[in-house]
Amino acid sequence: MTRRRQIHEPGHLRKLLVVVDDSPECDRAVYYAARRAARTAGGLVLLRVLTLADVETQWFGVAELMRAEATDKATARLDHLAARARSVAGVTAQTLIREGAVADEIHKLIEADEDIALLVVAVHAGREAPASLISSLGSGLWAGLGIPITLVPGTLSDAEIDALA
């Protein structure tokens, strides 16, 4: 069970969390969260989780190179999306990179930051299988999340999101 949220206490700020991946729909989640954060005088947290399954089986030098390359790529993606949030809503995003299982890292971050009040996730635009993060929503991993989840359809335009956020 997560700790009680402190978003209405003095010195605290309501934050929206977006888990960043490489999908095109991720931009929709960032756009929605940035616009919503701006309209509610809140904050935005962009989290990228590195899942480096093979890294532990590699030689030390190779493992460190794999980790460095993944971190550089994640940093570039976060910087791009933080700039997008700033340009569309004037919101300065906090960016974080963690390594591990995505669901575990989301839980740890929400537990550690009592100002995170909402998880924003974009839903795949097509009829194919949804992204792995969405798939895990139904697996019971999210039972103890302790905050609401907003699903943003990947097909929404900027104007449609503006009307909703």
Side-chain angles (χ1 to χ4, degrees):
M1 182 59 78
T2 59
R3 296 185 312 189
R4 186 172 77 83
R5 304 289 94 189
Q6 300 293 318
I7 61 174
H8 297 297
E9 301 297 323
H12 290 270
L13 175 71
R14 177 180 185 265
K15 296 177 186 175
L16 287 80
L17 171 62
V18 177
V19 180
V20 172
D21 60 18
D22 293 324
S23 71
E25 297 82 22
C26 183
D27 176 74
R28 303 293 70 212
V30 170
Y31 188 92
Y32 174 87
R35 299 294 288 178
R36 188 77 186 135
R39 289 196 176 146
T40 61
L44 176 61
V45 178
L46 302 177
L47 171 66
R48 178 64 185 236
V49 180
L50 304 178
T51 51
L52 303 173
D54 296 345
V55 78
E56 299 305 323
T57 63
Q58 302 297 324
W59 290 87
F60 180 72
V62 175
E64 289 307 308
L65 180 61
M66 289 172 67
R67 186 172 279 114
E69 287 175 356
T71 301
D72 288 346
K73 184 179 175 186
T75 299
R77 178 77 167 145
L78 287 169
D79 289 348
H80 169 76
L81 291 172
R84 173 99 163 113
R86 218 174 10 264
S87 71
V88 300
V91 173
T92 301
Q94 174 186 359
T95 59
L96 302 169
I97 298 174
R98 302 274 175 94
E99 185 177 333
V102 176
D104 292 343
E105 295 305 317
I106 292 169
H107 277 278
K108 289 177 192 175
L109 178 58
I110 291 169
E111 182 63 27
D113 189 342
E114 56 197 14
D115 290 345
I116 294 176
L118 185 68
L119 173 62
V120 179
V121 179
V123 180
H124 186 59
R127 290 192 177 267
E128 303 87 41
S132 60
L133 182 59
I134 299 299
S135 298
S136 66
L137 288 173
S139 69
L141 294 174
W142 302 99
L145 194 61
I147 62 171
I149 302 168
T150 297
L151 300 178
V152 180
T155 56
L156 293 180
S157 68
D158 290 354
E160 289 170 322
I161 291 174
D162 287 343
L164 297 169

